[in-house]
Amino acid sequence: MTPCRPSRPLVPVLLAAAMTMSRAVFDSSNFAQNLLTAERTLTQIDNQIKALQNQATMLSNQAKNLTSFNFPELQQLTTTLQKIQTLLTQAQGVSFNASSIDAEFTRLFPGQTSTASTTSAQVAAAQTRMAATLAAFHQTMATQSQIAENVSADAAALATLSARSQSSEGALQVAQATNQLLALTAKQQLQIQQMAAAQGRADATAAATRAQASIDAQAATKAFLGSGSAYTPR
């Protein structure tokens, strides 16, 4: 009995099946390469995302470094200094004006006076000097009172500036907070200098008044004694 041969219409079907199987084998061999390519692509995308995140963080930090603080306390510090300066400019007697202090001092404390000066003129001059001395001490006390009032305000400003310094985020805010604290320190130093100027003026005026009184007393004694010769009756 002879074997059955496939009919001719089956030949194309078998050829198509063989080609399909060959394609399936080809796709499987490239699958690993395609997977590796996809993995590398994902890695590149991940690196790009990380780079963008780093850039965003850097820009955020730069923005913090450029963020500034408001300084509303500056007006308060300036105002308190202006109040003290106003008190100093209202000085009576010997003022704090360098261009006029020589003339004012000579007028109040002339040193040796003319023997022709009347008693009433001498008394008026002494009263003027005493008034200038009292005015200097009064102004010193007023300056001290103003600085004492500023202490509580300075304490509140110091607390605010210290808290602001602790909460600083960027370099600019740190620098600003430091400068604000330095401004408060400078203001307090200026207050000390103003207080010293007022106190020194009062002390100098009082000392000059005593010195002038001593000079006047010596002149009055000399005028009273005259030549110093005893009276000789005839």
Side-chain angles (χ1 to χ4, degrees):
M1 183 176 181
T2 60
C4 295
R5 294 182 180 178
S7 60
R8 295 186 65 86
L10 290 177
V11 174
V13 175
L14 294 175
L15 290 175
M19 293 177 66
T20 300
M21 292 178 64
S22 64
R23 289 195 184 97
V25 172
F26 177 79
D27 291 341
S28 298
S29 64
N30 289 334
F31 179 77
Q33 184 66 31
N34 294 336
L35 184 60
L36 181 61
T37 301
E39 182 180 2
R40 291 175 178 174
T41 302
L42 289 176
T43 302
Q44 291 178 354
I45 294 174
D46 184 61
N47 291 336
Q48 291 176 354
I49 291 174
K50 290 180 179 178
L52 292 174
Q53 289 175 342
N54 292 334
Q55 290 180 358
T57 301
M58 180 183 65
L59 293 175
S60 178
N61 292 333
Q62 290 178 352
K64 290 180 180 179
N65 289 334
L66 296 176
T67 302
S68 62
F69 272 138
N70 292 326
F71 192 16
E73 295 81 9
L74 178 61
Q75 181 62 40
Q76 178 183 357
L77 299 181
T78 304
T79 300
T80 54
L81 285 176
Q82 289 175 346
K83 289 181 180 179
I84 300 175
Q85 187 62 35
T86 300
L87 290 174
L88 296 180
T89 57
Q90 294 173 352
Q92 298 178 359
V94 179
S95 68
F96 291 94
N97 191 337
S99 62
S100 61
I101 188 172
D102 289 340
E104 293 176 357
F105 191 87
T106 301
R107 177 181 61 85
L108 289 172
F109 312 105
Q112 294 291 343
T113 57
S114 174
T115 56
S117 178
T118 62
T119 302
S120 60
Q122 294 175 359
V123 171
Q127 290 176 342
T128 301
R129 287 189 291 271
M130 184 57 64
T133 303
L134 292 175
F137 281 116
H138 177 266
Q139 185 195 43
T140 300
M141 295 176 66
T143 304
Q144 289 173 340
S145 298
Q146 182 61 58
I147 292 176
E149 291 180 3
N150 295 343
V151 170
S152 59
D154 290 348
L158 178 61
T160 300
L161 296 178
S162 297
R164 189 174 298 163
S165 177
Q166 294 295 328
S167 62
S168 300
E169 294 183 351
L172 179 58
Q173 288 188 348
V174 171
Q176 285 185 317
T178 301
N179 291 336
Q180 291 167 10
L181 289 170
L182 291 176
L184 178 60
T185 302
K187 181 251 186 180
Q188 293 172 338
Q189 292 294 328
L190 288 174
Q191 286 185 153
I192 294 174
Q193 293 177 3
Q194 290 169 327
M195 183 66 254
Q199 184 66 53
R201 171 180 173 271
D203 294 340
T205 302
T209 299
R210 292 192 298 269
Q212 185 64 49
S214 177
I215 293 173
D216 292 343
Q218 291 176 1
T221 301
K222 183 177 181 180
F224 177 77
L225 294 177
S227 63
S229 300
Y231 173 73
T232 303
R234 293 181 180 179

PDB file of all heavy atoms in Angstrom, residues 52-87:
ATOM      1  N   LEU A  52      16.197  67.726  37.594  1.00  0.00           N
ATOM      2  CA  LEU A  52      15.198  68.797  37.685  1.00  0.00           C
ATOM      3  C   LEU A  52      14.827  69.078  39.139  1.00  0.00           C
ATOM      4  O   LEU A  52      14.636  70.233  39.526  1.00  0.00           O
ATOM      5  CB  LEU A  52      13.958  68.427  36.873  1.00  0.00           C
ATOM      6  CG  LEU A  52      14.145  68.368  35.347  1.00  0.00           C
ATOM      7  CD1 LEU A  52      12.881  67.855  34.680  1.00  0.00           C
ATOM      8  CD2 LEU A  52      14.496  69.757  34.804  1.00  0.00           C
ATOM      9  N   GLN A  53      14.715  68.014  39.943  1.00  0.00           N
ATOM     10  CA  GLN A  53      14.414  68.207  41.363  1.00  0.00           C
ATOM     11  C   GLN A  53      15.538  68.970  42.062  1.00  0.00           C
ATOM     12  O   GLN A  53      15.288  69.846  42.896  1.00  0.00           O
ATOM     13  CB  GLN A  53      14.186  66.854  42.025  1.00  0.00           C
ATOM     14  CG  GLN A  53      12.886  66.169  41.612  1.00  0.00           C
ATOM     15  CD  GLN A  53      12.760  64.777  42.195  1.00  0.00           C
ATOM     16  OE1 GLN A  53      13.740  64.178  42.623  1.00  0.00           O
ATOM     17  NE2 GLN A  53      11.543  64.246  42.204  1.00  0.00           N
ATOM     18  N   ASN A  54      16.789  68.621  41.727  1.00  0.00           N
ATOM     19  CA  ASN A  54      17.920  69.326  42.321  1.00  0.00           C
ATOM     20  C   ASN A  54      17.933  70.798  41.920  1.00  0.00           C
ATOM     21  O   ASN A  54      18.216  71.686  42.738  1.00  0.00           O
ATOM     22  CB  ASN A  54      19.236  68.662  41.919  1.00  0.00           C
ATOM     23  CG  ASN A  54      19.401  67.278  42.530  1.00  0.00           C
ATOM     24  OD1 ASN A  54      18.839  66.991  43.582  1.00  0.00           O
ATOM     25  ND2 ASN A  54      20.164  66.430  41.863  1.00  0.00           N
ATOM     26  N   GLN A  55      17.620  71.059  40.649  1.00  0.00           N
ATOM     27  CA  GLN A  55      17.550  72.439  40.199  1.00  0.00           C
ATOM     28  C   GLN A  55      16.436  73.189  40.916  1.00  0.00           C
ATOM     29  O   GLN A  55      16.602  74.359  41.281  1.00  0.00           O
ATOM     30  CB  GLN A  55      17.345  72.484  38.685  1.00  0.00           C
ATOM     31  CG  GLN A  55      18.559  72.030  37.882  1.00  0.00           C
ATOM     32  CD  GLN A  55      18.309  72.089  36.388  1.00  0.00           C
ATOM     33  OE1 GLN A  55      17.205  72.430  35.947  1.00  0.00           O
ATOM     34  NE2 GLN A  55      19.322  71.746  35.608  1.00  0.00           N
ATOM     35  N   ALA A  56      15.306  72.529  41.123  1.00  0.00           N
ATOM     36  CA  ALA A  56      14.200  73.167  41.833  1.00  0.00           C
ATOM     37  C   ALA A  56      14.595  73.488  43.275  1.00  0.00           C
ATOM     38  O   ALA A  56      14.271  74.561  43.802  1.00  0.00           O
ATOM     39  CB  ALA A  56      12.970  72.271  41.801  1.00  0.00           C
ATOM     40  N   THR A  57      15.298  72.546  43.918  1.00  0.00           N
ATOM     41  CA  THR A  57      15.763  72.804  45.285  1.00  0.00           C
ATOM     42  C   THR A  57      16.750  73.956  45.321  1.00  0.00           C
ATOM     43  O   THR A  57      16.700  74.806  46.219  1.00  0.00           O
ATOM     44  CB  THR A  57      16.427  71.535  45.842  1.00  0.00           C
ATOM     45  OG1 THR A  57      15.478  70.447  45.826  1.00  0.00           O
ATOM     46  CG2 THR A  57      16.901  71.750  47.274  1.00  0.00           C
ATOM     47  N   MET A  58      17.660  73.997  44.363  1.00  0.00           N
ATOM     48  CA  MET A  58      18.638  75.077  44.300  1.00  0.00           C
ATOM     49  C   MET A  58      17.948  76.423  44.105  1.00  0.00           C
ATOM     50  O   MET A  58      18.275  77.414  44.772  1.00  0.00           O
ATOM     51  CB  MET A  58      19.625  74.819  43.168  1.00  0.00           C
ATOM     52  CG  MET A  58      20.693  75.893  43.014  1.00  0.00           C
ATOM     53  SD  MET A  58      21.789  75.577  41.600  1.00  0.00           S
ATOM     54  CE  MET A  58      20.607  75.738  40.248  1.00  0.00           C
ATOM     55  N   LEU A  59      16.970  76.478  43.197  1.00  0.00           N
ATOM     56  CA  LEU A  59      16.237  77.724  42.972  1.00  0.00           C
ATOM     57  C   LEU A  59      15.452  78.135  44.213  1.00  0.00           C
ATOM     58  O   LEU A  59      15.353  79.323  44.527  1.00  0.00           O
ATOM     59  CB  LEU A  59      15.296  77.562  41.772  1.00  0.00           C
ATOM     60  CG  LEU A  59      15.981  77.394  40.409  1.00  0.00           C
ATOM     61  CD1 LEU A  59      14.936  77.128  39.336  1.00  0.00           C
ATOM     62  CD2 LEU A  59      16.786  78.640  40.054  1.00  0.00           C
ATOM     63  N   SER A  60      14.910  77.144  44.930  1.00  0.00           N
ATOM     64  CA  SER A  60      14.189  77.446  46.168  1.00  0.00           C
ATOM     65  C   SER A  60      15.114  78.036  47.213  1.00  0.00           C
ATOM     66  O   SER A  60      14.768  79.006  47.903  1.00  0.00           O
ATOM     67  CB  SER A  60      13.516  76.180  46.700  1.00  0.00           C
ATOM     68  OG  SER A  60      12.853  76.430  47.928  1.00  0.00           O
ATOM     69  N   ASN A  61      16.318  77.458  47.327  1.00  0.00           N
ATOM     70  CA  ASN A  61      17.293  77.996  48.283  1.00  0.00           C
ATOM     71  C   ASN A  61      17.743  79.396  47.884  1.00  0.00           C
ATOM     72  O   ASN A  61      17.926  80.269  48.746  1.00  0.00           O
ATOM     73  CB  ASN A  61      18.495  77.066  48.379  1.00  0.00           C
ATOM     74  CG  ASN A  61      18.150  75.740  49.037  1.00  0.00           C
ATOM     75  OD1 ASN A  61      17.217  75.651  49.837  1.00  0.00           O
ATOM     76  ND2 ASN A  61      18.880  74.695  48.686  1.00  0.00           N
ATOM     77  N   GLN A  62      17.929  79.608  46.591  1.00  0.00           N
ATOM     78  CA  GLN A  62      18.299  80.948  46.130  1.00  0.00           C
ATOM     79  C   GLN A  62      17.194  81.945  46.426  1.00  0.00           C
ATOM     80  O   GLN A  62      17.462  83.096  46.797  1.00  0.00           O
ATOM     81  CB  GLN A  62      18.607  80.919  44.630  1.00  0.00           C
ATOM     82  CG  GLN A  62      19.894  80.186  44.281  1.00  0.00           C
ATOM     83  CD  GLN A  62      20.131  80.148  42.783  1.00  0.00           C
ATOM     84  OE1 GLN A  62      19.272  80.528  41.989  1.00  0.00           O
ATOM     85  NE2 GLN A  62      21.315  79.678  42.390  1.00  0.00           N
ATOM     86  N   ALA A  63      15.943  81.508  46.266  1.00  0.00           N
ATOM     87  CA  ALA A  63      14.817  82.396  46.578  1.00  0.00           C
ATOM     88  C   ALA A  63      14.804  82.753  48.061  1.00  0.00           C
ATOM     89  O   ALA A  63      14.524  83.896  48.439  1.00  0.00           O
ATOM     90  CB  ALA A  63      13.509  81.732  46.169  1.00  0.00           C
ATOM     91  N   LYS A  64      15.120  81.755  48.926  1.00  0.00           N
ATOM     92  CA  LYS A  64      15.191  82.042  50.359  1.00  0.00           C
ATOM     93  C   LYS A  64      16.309  83.025  50.662  1.00  0.00           C
ATOM     94  O   LYS A  64      16.167  83.906  51.511  1.00  0.00           O
ATOM     95  CB  LYS A  64      15.402  80.741  51.138  1.00  0.00           C
ATOM     96  CG  LYS A  64      14.197  79.811  51.145  1.00  0.00           C
ATOM     97  CD  LYS A  64      14.493  78.547  51.940  1.00  0.00           C
ATOM     98  CE  LYS A  64      13.283  77.614  51.953  1.00  0.00           C
ATOM     99  NZ  LYS A  64      13.568  76.364  52.705  1.00  0.00           N
ATOM    100  N   ASN A  65      17.450  82.858  49.965  1.00  0.00           N
ATOM    101  CA  ASN A  65      18.568  83.761  50.202  1.00  0.00           C
ATOM    102  C   ASN A  65      18.262  85.188  49.774  1.00  0.00           C
ATOM    103  O   ASN A  65      18.891  86.131  50.248  1.00  0.00           O
ATOM    104  CB  ASN A  65      19.808  83.266  49.458  1.00  0.00           C
ATOM    105  CG  ASN A  65      20.397  82.018  50.082  1.00  0.00           C
ATOM    106  OD1 ASN A  65      20.228  81.772  51.270  1.00  0.00           O
ATOM    107  ND2 ASN A  65      21.076  81.210  49.284  1.00  0.00           N
ATOM    108  N   LEU A  66      17.312  85.342  48.852  1.00  0.00           N
ATOM    109  CA  LEU A  66      16.933  86.667  48.381  1.00  0.00           C
ATOM    110  C   LEU A  66      15.725  87.226  49.114  1.00  0.00           C
ATOM    111  O   LEU A  66      15.338  88.371  48.870  1.00  0.00           O
ATOM    112  CB  LEU A  66      16.645  86.618  46.874  1.00  0.00           C
ATOM    113  CG  LEU A  66      17.837  86.263  45.970  1.00  0.00           C
ATOM    114  CD1 LEU A  66      17.393  86.151  44.531  1.00  0.00           C
ATOM    115  CD2 LEU A  66      18.948  87.291  46.115  1.00  0.00           C
ATOM    116  N   THR A  67      15.126  86.433  50.010  1.00  0.00           N
ATOM    117  CA  THR A  67      13.964  86.908  50.760  1.00  0.00           C
ATOM    118  C   THR A  67      14.419  87.870  51.838  1.00  0.00           C
ATOM    119  O   THR A  67      15.354  87.591  52.581  1.00  0.00           O
ATOM    120  CB  THR A  67      13.210  85.725  51.402  1.00  0.00           C
ATOM    121  OG1 THR A  67      12.820  84.806  50.365  1.00  0.00           O
ATOM    122  CG2 THR A  67      11.965  86.208  52.128  1.00  0.00           C
ATOM    123  N   SER A  68      13.764  89.020  51.915  1.00  0.00           N
ATOM    124  CA  SER A  68      14.185  90.061  52.847  1.00  0.00           C
ATOM    125  C   SER A  68      13.214  90.179  54.012  1.00  0.00           C
ATOM    126  O   SER A  68      12.083  89.686  53.962  1.00  0.00           O
ATOM    127  CB  SER A  68      14.296  91.409  52.126  1.00  0.00           C
ATOM    128  OG  SER A  68      13.025  91.791  51.619  1.00  0.00           O
ATOM    129  N   PHE A  69      13.686  90.857  55.078  1.00  0.00           N
ATOM    130  CA  PHE A  69      12.887  91.168  56.256  1.00  0.00           C
ATOM    131  C   PHE A  69      12.449  92.625  56.191  1.00  0.00           C
ATOM    132  O   PHE A  69      13.203  93.496  55.741  1.00  0.00           O
ATOM    133  CB  PHE A  69      13.719  90.991  57.536  1.00  0.00           C
ATOM    134  CG  PHE A  69      13.688  89.600  58.095  1.00  0.00           C
ATOM    135  CD1 PHE A  69      14.843  89.022  58.579  1.00  0.00           C
ATOM    136  CD2 PHE A  69      12.511  88.879  58.156  1.00  0.00           C
ATOM    137  CE1 PHE A  69      14.832  87.750  59.124  1.00  0.00           C
ATOM    138  CE2 PHE A  69      12.494  87.599  58.684  1.00  0.00           C
ATOM    139  CZ  PHE A  69      13.646  87.033  59.166  1.00  0.00           C
ATOM    140  N   ASN A  70      11.247  92.892  56.657  1.00  0.00           N
ATOM    141  CA  ASN A  70      10.858  94.276  56.907  1.00  0.00           C
ATOM    142  C   ASN A  70      11.499  94.729  58.217  1.00  0.00           C
ATOM    143  O   ASN A  70      11.803  93.921  59.094  1.00  0.00           O
ATOM    144  CB  ASN A  70       9.336  94.404  56.981  1.00  0.00           C
ATOM    145  CG  ASN A  70       8.678  94.142  55.635  1.00  0.00           C
ATOM    146  OD1 ASN A  70       9.235  94.474  54.598  1.00  0.00           O
ATOM    147  ND2 ASN A  70       7.501  93.551  55.641  1.00  0.00           N
ATOM    148  N   PHE A  71      11.693  96.020  58.355  1.00  0.00           N
ATOM    149  CA  PHE A  71      12.342  96.569  59.551  1.00  0.00           C
ATOM    150  C   PHE A  71      11.519  97.749  60.071  1.00  0.00           C
ATOM    151  O   PHE A  71      11.981  98.897  60.079  1.00  0.00           O
ATOM    152  CB  PHE A  71      13.769  96.998  59.221  1.00  0.00           C
ATOM    153  CG  PHE A  71      14.616  97.304  60.430  1.00  0.00           C
ATOM    154  CD1 PHE A  71      14.235  96.902  61.700  1.00  0.00           C
ATOM    155  CD2 PHE A  71      15.801  98.006  60.296  1.00  0.00           C
ATOM    156  CE1 PHE A  71      15.005  97.182  62.804  1.00  0.00           C
ATOM    157  CE2 PHE A  71      16.588  98.291  61.401  1.00  0.00           C
ATOM    158  CZ  PHE A  71      16.179  97.876  62.650  1.00  0.00           C
ATOM    159  N   PRO A  72      10.287  97.493  60.534  1.00  0.00           N
ATOM    160  CA  PRO A  72       9.460  98.608  61.028  1.00  0.00           C
ATOM    161  C   PRO A  72      10.013  99.228  62.291  1.00  0.00           C
ATOM    162  O   PRO A  72       9.685 100.372  62.614  1.00  0.00           O
ATOM    163  CB  PRO A  72       8.096  97.942  61.276  1.00  0.00           C
ATOM    164  CG  PRO A  72       8.417  96.497  61.524  1.00  0.00           C
ATOM    165  CD  PRO A  72       9.610  96.200  60.647  1.00  0.00           C
ATOM    166  N   GLU A  73      10.858  98.505  63.037  1.00  0.00           N
ATOM    167  CA  GLU A  73      11.425  99.054  64.265  1.00  0.00           C
ATOM    168  C   GLU A  73      12.407 100.193  63.998  1.00  0.00           C
ATOM    169  O   GLU A  73      12.732 100.955  64.916  1.00  0.00           O
ATOM    170  CB  GLU A  73      12.143  97.955  65.061  1.00  0.00           C
ATOM    171  CG  GLU A  73      11.239  96.862  65.589  1.00  0.00           C
ATOM    172  CD  GLU A  73      10.922  95.823  64.527  1.00  0.00           C
ATOM    173  OE1 GLU A  73      11.540  95.873  63.448  1.00  0.00           O
ATOM    174  OE2 GLU A  73      10.054  94.971  64.782  1.00  0.00           O
ATOM    175  N   LEU A  74      12.886 100.318  62.750  1.00  0.00           N
ATOM    176  CA  LEU A  74      13.850 101.362  62.437  1.00  0.00           C
ATOM    177  C   LEU A  74      13.267 102.745  62.704  1.00  0.00           C
ATOM    178  O   LEU A  74      13.950 103.624  63.243  1.00  0.00           O
ATOM    179  CB  LEU A  74      14.296 101.242  60.975  1.00  0.00           C
ATOM    180  CG  LEU A  74      15.285 102.311  60.494  1.00  0.00           C
ATOM    181  CD1 LEU A  74      16.572 102.250  61.301  1.00  0.00           C
ATOM    182  CD2 LEU A  74      15.583 102.134  59.009  1.00  0.00           C
ATOM    183  N   GLN A  75      12.003 102.944  62.341  1.00  0.00           N
ATOM    184  CA  GLN A  75      11.362 104.234  62.580  1.00  0.00           C
ATOM    185  C   GLN A  75      11.281 104.538  64.065  1.00  0.00           C
ATOM    186  O   GLN A  75      11.498 105.677  64.498  1.00  0.00           O
ATOM    187  CB  GLN A  75       9.957 104.237  61.958  1.00  0.00           C
ATOM    188  CG  GLN A  75       9.204 105.554  62.118  1.00  0.00           C
ATOM    189  CD  GLN A  75       9.909 106.701  61.438  1.00  0.00           C
ATOM    190  OE1 GLN A  75      10.454 106.556  60.346  1.00  0.00           O
ATOM    191  NE2 GLN A  75       9.916 107.861  62.077  1.00  0.00           N
ATOM    192  N   GLN A  76      11.003 103.516  64.854  1.00  0.00           N
ATOM    193  CA  GLN A  76      10.927 103.703  66.303  1.00  0.00           C
ATOM    194  C   GLN A  76      12.295 104.081  66.874  1.00  0.00           C
ATOM    195  O   GLN A  76      12.408 104.984  67.718  1.00  0.00           O
ATOM    196  CB  GLN A  76      10.420 102.423  66.965  1.00  0.00           C
ATOM    197  CG  GLN A  76      10.345 102.489  68.483  1.00  0.00           C
ATOM    198  CD  GLN A  76       9.907 101.170  69.095  1.00  0.00           C
ATOM    199  OE1 GLN A  76       9.601 100.219  68.371  1.00  0.00           O
ATOM    200  NE2 GLN A  76       9.883 101.098  70.405  1.00  0.00           N
ATOM    201  N   LEU A  77      13.349 103.389  66.427  1.00  0.00           N
ATOM    202  CA  LEU A  77      14.690 103.707  66.906  1.00  0.00           C
ATOM    203  C   LEU A  77      15.083 105.129  66.529  1.00  0.00           C
ATOM    204  O   LEU A  77      15.651 105.869  67.337  1.00  0.00           O
ATOM    205  CB  LEU A  77      15.701 102.713  66.326  1.00  0.00           C
ATOM    206  CG  LEU A  77      15.510 101.239  66.672  1.00  0.00           C
ATOM    207  CD1 LEU A  77      16.615 100.407  66.042  1.00  0.00           C
ATOM    208  CD2 LEU A  77      15.480 101.027  68.170  1.00  0.00           C
ATOM    209  N   THR A  78      14.764 105.517  65.299  1.00  0.00           N
ATOM    210  CA  THR A  78      15.103 106.865  64.844  1.00  0.00           C
ATOM    211  C   THR A  78      14.334 107.920  65.618  1.00  0.00           C
ATOM    212  O   THR A  78      14.887 108.973  65.976  1.00  0.00           O
ATOM    213  CB  THR A  78      14.810 106.994  63.342  1.00  0.00           C
ATOM    214  OG1 THR A  78      15.516 105.972  62.628  1.00  0.00           O
ATOM    215  CG2 THR A  78      15.247 108.347  62.818  1.00  0.00           C
ATOM    216  N   THR A  79      13.074 107.641  65.905  1.00  0.00           N
ATOM    217  CA  THR A  79      12.241 108.610  66.620  1.00  0.00           C
ATOM    218  C   THR A  79      12.765 108.865  68.025  1.00  0.00           C
ATOM    219  O   THR A  79      12.825 110.013  68.486  1.00  0.00           O
ATOM    220  CB  THR A  79      10.795 108.119  66.681  1.00  0.00           C
ATOM    221  OG1 THR A  79      10.295 107.954  65.345  1.00  0.00           O
ATOM    222  CG2 THR A  79       9.904 109.111  67.412  1.00  0.00           C
ATOM    223  N   THR A  80      13.156 107.805  68.730  1.00  0.00           N
ATOM    224  CA  THR A  80      13.652 107.981  70.096  1.00  0.00           C
ATOM    225  C   THR A  80      14.962 108.768  70.108  1.00  0.00           C
ATOM    226  O   THR A  80      15.190 109.598  71.000  1.00  0.00           O
ATOM    227  CB  THR A  80      13.862 106.622  70.764  1.00  0.00           C
ATOM    228  OG1 THR A  80      14.705 105.805  69.938  1.00  0.00           O
ATOM    229  CG2 THR A  80      12.540 105.904  70.971  1.00  0.00           C
ATOM    230  N   LEU A  81      15.818 108.530  69.126  1.00  0.00           N
ATOM    231  CA  LEU A  81      17.050 109.307  69.046  1.00  0.00           C
ATOM    232  C   LEU A  81      16.752 110.776  68.747  1.00  0.00           C
ATOM    233  O   LEU A  81      17.412 111.684  69.274  1.00  0.00           O
ATOM    234  CB  LEU A  81      17.974 108.733  67.963  1.00  0.00           C
ATOM    235  CG  LEU A  81      18.698 107.427  68.307  1.00  0.00           C
ATOM    236  CD1 LEU A  81      19.483 106.935  67.111  1.00  0.00           C
ATOM    237  CD2 LEU A  81      19.618 107.617  69.503  1.00  0.00           C
ATOM    238  N   GLN A  82      15.757 111.016  67.906  1.00  0.00           N
ATOM    239  CA  GLN A  82      15.392 112.398  67.588  1.00  0.00           C
ATOM    240  C   GLN A  82      14.838 113.120  68.807  1.00  0.00           C
ATOM    241  O   GLN A  82      15.067 114.326  68.978  1.00  0.00           O
ATOM    242  CB  GLN A  82      14.375 112.409  66.442  1.00  0.00           C
ATOM    243  CG  GLN A  82      14.963 112.022  65.089  1.00  0.00           C
ATOM    244  CD  GLN A  82      13.913 111.923  64.001  1.00  0.00           C
ATOM    245  OE1 GLN A  82      12.711 111.887  64.278  1.00  0.00           O
ATOM    246  NE2 GLN A  82      14.354 111.877  62.762  1.00  0.00           N
ATOM    247  N   LYS A  83      14.119 112.410  69.666  1.00  0.00           N
ATOM    248  CA  LYS A  83      13.600 113.036  70.878  1.00  0.00           C
ATOM    249  C   LYS A  83      14.744 113.510  71.778  1.00  0.00           C
ATOM    250  O   LYS A  83      14.700 114.617  72.321  1.00  0.00           O
ATOM    251  CB  LYS A  83      12.708 112.044  71.635  1.00  0.00           C
ATOM    252  CG  LYS A  83      11.376 111.755  70.969  1.00  0.00           C
ATOM    253  CD  LYS A  83      10.554 110.770  71.798  1.00  0.00           C
ATOM    254  CE  LYS A  83       9.214 110.477  71.138  1.00  0.00           C
ATOM    255  NZ  LYS A  83       8.424 109.496  71.924  1.00  0.00           N
ATOM    256  N   ILE A  84      15.749 112.665  71.936  1.00  0.00           N
ATOM    257  CA  ILE A  84      16.890 113.048  72.759  1.00  0.00           C
ATOM    258  C   ILE A  84      17.644 114.204  72.111  1.00  0.00           C
ATOM    259  O   ILE A  84      18.069 115.150  72.786  1.00  0.00           O
ATOM    260  CB  ILE A  84      17.825 111.850  72.972  1.00  0.00           C
ATOM    261  CG1 ILE A  84      17.076 110.714  73.680  1.00  0.00           C
ATOM    262  CG2 ILE A  84      19.049 112.246  73.783  1.00  0.00           C
ATOM    263  CD1 ILE A  84      17.876 109.450  73.829  1.00  0.00           C
ATOM    264  N   GLN A  85      17.802 114.144  70.791  1.00  0.00           N
ATOM    265  CA  GLN A  85      18.501 115.218  70.094  1.00  0.00           C
ATOM    266  C   GLN A  85      17.748 116.536  70.236  1.00  0.00           C
ATOM    267  O   GLN A  85      18.364 117.609  70.366  1.00  0.00           O
ATOM    268  CB  GLN A  85      18.661 114.858  68.607  1.00  0.00           C
ATOM    269  CG  GLN A  85      19.513 115.833  67.816  1.00  0.00           C
ATOM    270  CD  GLN A  85      20.936 115.909  68.336  1.00  0.00           C
ATOM    271  OE1 GLN A  85      21.488 114.907  68.788  1.00  0.00           O
ATOM    272  NE2 GLN A  85      21.528 117.097  68.286  1.00  0.00           N
ATOM    273  N   THR A  86      16.423 116.476  70.231  1.00  0.00           N
ATOM    274  CA  THR A  86      15.623 117.687  70.433  1.00  0.00           C
ATOM    275  C   THR A  86      15.874 118.287  71.805  1.00  0.00           C
ATOM    276  O   THR A  86      15.975 119.509  71.961  1.00  0.00           O
ATOM    277  CB  THR A  86      14.132 117.368  70.262  1.00  0.00           C
ATOM    278  OG1 THR A  86      13.903 116.858  68.943  1.00  0.00           O
ATOM    279  CG2 THR A  86      13.278 118.611  70.455  1.00  0.00           C
ATOM    280  N   LEU A  87      15.984 117.422  72.821  1.00  0.00           N
ATOM    281  CA  LEU A  87      16.285 117.912  74.161  1.00  0.00           C
ATOM    282  C   LEU A  87      17.651 118.605  74.197  1.00  0.00           C
ATOM    283  O   LEU A  87      17.815 119.633  74.856  1.00  0.00           O
ATOM    284  CB  LEU A  87      16.259 116.755  75.165  1.00  0.00           C
ATOM    285  CG  LEU A  87      14.886 116.148  75.476  1.00  0.00           C
ATOM    286  CD1 LEU A  87      15.048 114.924  76.369  1.00  0.00           C
ATOM    287  CD2 LEU A  87      13.983 117.170  76.147  1.00  0.00           C
TER     288      LEU A  87
END
